[in-house]
């Protein structure tokens, strides 16, 4: 979908300290072969609440306050909050989106929680842009803390390591440092079983813990045949999303200055970049990914923030965001930088 008059007023990120991947290997927490293939240097890891660390929704609040401070006048016009997450937010049958909204945009601003897995951050751009058809501004947030014993950040999924973060982005109809030119979402709902046990349990206490997404994917492949066919099907969804987003933005792939993908390990990211998109590694934000890890739904807001705040993209540059999450869904977005945001706080 093509967008006119939709701007990115600001981004904000809250990242905790880092855990060394080499030290995790030495301690037996991280597989040495995975480390060699992924080339992950470190991963963002928050202290537990018992040790004084913030909850996942509180990380979103911290990131949102940064984004709202940077957004200027747009911060006063927020008419909705969309909060995305992948993992547990701290309580059952609770609405973390309302918590985030109350502590940032205000107690009277409608808040919505999104469940699009690791694609949720980018897909919230599309939902937020639709909301902006009535004007004003929208606050988009993500947050996750991938802590044990129910979640093992180092071993949950082959090809990546999960990191903790809160991220935020303010969409506005009254200007900003970038324009949202287009978004496009493609899905294949028949692939939802990749992350679902063959025999779902009736009670959460019976669920397999720690969560092992690689084992679930292996089970799916054994039940459904050739793994190459599965790879092709997910690649087709991503390809359809990317092609439509570029077409709607009147942008060729060679016009793209940088690309932000889900933050995977190096071998998986290079496969996506080179084989799927025909781009080389220097077009990505690999250095940031290798130090922070996969931030659940927050990779794209954090990745864009890093590119902009560090001056790696300048006015006139176009950035392609490509999401992807179990379900299976993929949302792509084309963003054009219009003003420099490379400045001290």
């Amino acid at each position: 979908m093509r967008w006119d008059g939709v701007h990115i007023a600001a981004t904000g990120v809250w990242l905790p300290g880092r855990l060394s991947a080499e030290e995790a290997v030495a301690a037996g927490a991280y597989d040495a072969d995975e480390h060699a293939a992924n080339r992950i240097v470190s991963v963002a890891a928050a202290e537990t609440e018992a040790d004084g660390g913030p909850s996942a929704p509180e990380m979103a609040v911290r990131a949102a306050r940064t984004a709202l401070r940077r957004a200027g006048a747009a911060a006063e016009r927020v008419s909705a909050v969309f909060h995305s997450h992948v993992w547990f937010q701290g309580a059952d049958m609770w609405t973390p989106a309302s918590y985030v909204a109350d502590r940032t945009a205000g107690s009277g601003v409608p808040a919505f929680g999104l469940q699009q897995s690791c694609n949720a951050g980018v897909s919230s751009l599309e939902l937020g842009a639709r909301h902006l058809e009535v004007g004003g501004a929208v606050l988009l947030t993500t947050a996750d803390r991938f802590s044990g014993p129910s979640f093992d950040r180092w071993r949950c999924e082959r090809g990546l390591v999960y990191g903790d973060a809160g991220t935020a982005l303010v969409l506005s109809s009254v200007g900003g440092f970038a324009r949202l030119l287009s978004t496009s979402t493609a899905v294949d709902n028949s692939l939802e079983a990749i992350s679902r046990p063959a025999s779902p349990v009736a009670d959460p206490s019976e669920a397999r813990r720690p969560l092992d997404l690689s084992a679930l994917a292996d089970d799916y492949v054994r039940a459904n045949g050739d793994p190459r066919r599965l790879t092709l099907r997910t690649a087709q969804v991503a390809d359809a999303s990317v092609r439509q987003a570029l077409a709607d933005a009147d942008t060729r792939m060679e016009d793209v200055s940088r690309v932000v993908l889900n933050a995977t390990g190096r071998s998986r990211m290079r496969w996506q970049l080179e084989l799927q998109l025909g781009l080389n590694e220097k077009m990505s934000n690999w250095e940031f990914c290798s130090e922070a890890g996969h931030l659940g739904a927050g990779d794209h807001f954090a990745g864009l923030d890093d590119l902009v705040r560090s001056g790696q993209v300048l006015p006139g540059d176009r950035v392609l965001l490509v999401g992807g999450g179990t379900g299976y869904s993929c949302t792509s977005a084309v963003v054009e930088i219009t003003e420099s945001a490379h400045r001290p706080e």
Side-chain angles (χ1 to χ4, degrees):
M1 180 170 289
R2 182 185 184 94
W3 299 105
D4 294 309
V6 177
H7 306 269
I8 298 177
T11 54
V13 177
W14 186 85
L15 282 168
R18 309 294 195 270
L19 292 178
S20 164
E22 284 191 358
E23 291 179 5
V25 172
Y30 187 28
D31 183 79
D33 290 338
E34 277 285 294
H35 183 224
N38 292 337
R39 308 286 182 87
I40 298 295
V41 176
S42 59
V43 61
E47 293 184 334
T48 65
E49 289 183 81
D51 293 327
S55 66
E58 182 59 30
M59 294 180 198
V61 169
R62 295 182 185 186
R65 286 174 176 167
T66 297
L68 291 170
R69 184 178 70 250
R70 293 172 177 171
E76 303 300 320
R77 303 182 64 177
V78 173
S79 58
V81 175
F82 293 92
H83 178 62
S84 307
H85 60 91
V86 174
W87 191 237
F88 187 60
Q89 295 288 284
D92 294 320
M93 296 189 71
W94 176 55
T95 54
S98 297
Y99 176 95
V100 174
D102 182 52
R103 286 156 178 77
T104 55
S107 60
V109 176
F112 306 90
L114 303 182
Q115 290 292 305
Q116 278 285 309
S117 187
C118 302
N119 187 49
V122 192
S123 65
S124 71
L125 284 173
E126 189 163 84
L127 292 175
R130 290 179 185 274
H131 187 86
L132 274 189
E133 291 177 354
V134 299
V138 175
L139 173 63
L140 312 175
T141 64
T142 81
D144 273 296
R145 190 181 65 192
F146 299 104
S147 56
S150 58
F151 198 102
D152 185 342
R153 71 174 75 249
W154 300 105
R155 298 182 183 275
C156 178
E157 185 174 357
R158 286 188 297 270
L160 54 85
V161 177
Y162 283 79
D164 305 337
T167 77
L169 183 147
V170 178
L171 281 180
S172 171
S173 61
V174 295
F177 72 84
R179 290 193 302 145
L180 179 64
L181 301 182
S182 69
T183 58
S184 177
T185 297
V187 304
D188 184 344
N189 292 324
S190 69
L191 295 175
E192 56 80 22
I194 294 173
S195 55
R196 169 173 55 82
S199 300
V201 297
D203 188 279
S205 65
E206 300 172 12
R208 179 165 52 185
R209 291 290 183 265
L211 179 65
D212 190 338
L213 291 178
S214 294
L216 291 174
D218 292 343
D219 291 344
Y220 179 88
V221 169
R222 279 192 292 270
N224 292 274
D226 189 353
R228 291 172 295 183
R229 182 169 175 269
L230 171 60
T231 300
L232 177 62
R233 288 171 67 187
T234 57
Q236 288 172 334
V237 174
D239 184 66
S241 170
V242 169
R243 287 180 181 274
Q244 191 63 56
L246 290 173
D248 289 347
D250 295 327
T251 299
R252 302 169 301 170
M253 189 66 79
E254 51 264 39
D255 298 327
V256 172
S257 300
R258 301 295 289 269
V259 60
V260 179
L261 304 172
N262 289 45
T264 65
R266 188 168 183 263
S267 59
R268 192 160 158 181
M269 180 172 284
R270 289 189 66 184
W271 183 88
Q272 292 175 292
L273 282 165
E274 297 174 5
L275 296 183
Q276 287 192 274
L277 301 177
L279 303 173
N280 57 48
E281 187 179 299
K282 69 179 182 180
M283 297 282 288
S284 74
N285 62 326
W286 162 245
E287 184 175 351
F288 175 80
C289 295
S290 69
E291 295 176 353
H294 174 43
L295 307 178
D299 286 337
H300 302 88
F301 294 172
L304 179 63
D305 179 89
D306 181 67
L307 290 176
V308 171
R309 306 301 299 181
S310 62
Q312 296 180 65
V313 289
L314 301 171
D317 287 345
R318 294 193 174 189
V319 181
L320 174 64
L321 313 178
V322 184
T326 55
Y328 176 77
S329 69
C330 177
T331 301
S332 299
V334 180
V335 171
E336 181 180 42
I337 307 301
T338 55
E339 297 179 10
S340 174
H342 177 45
R343 58 182 182 270
E345 288 296 310

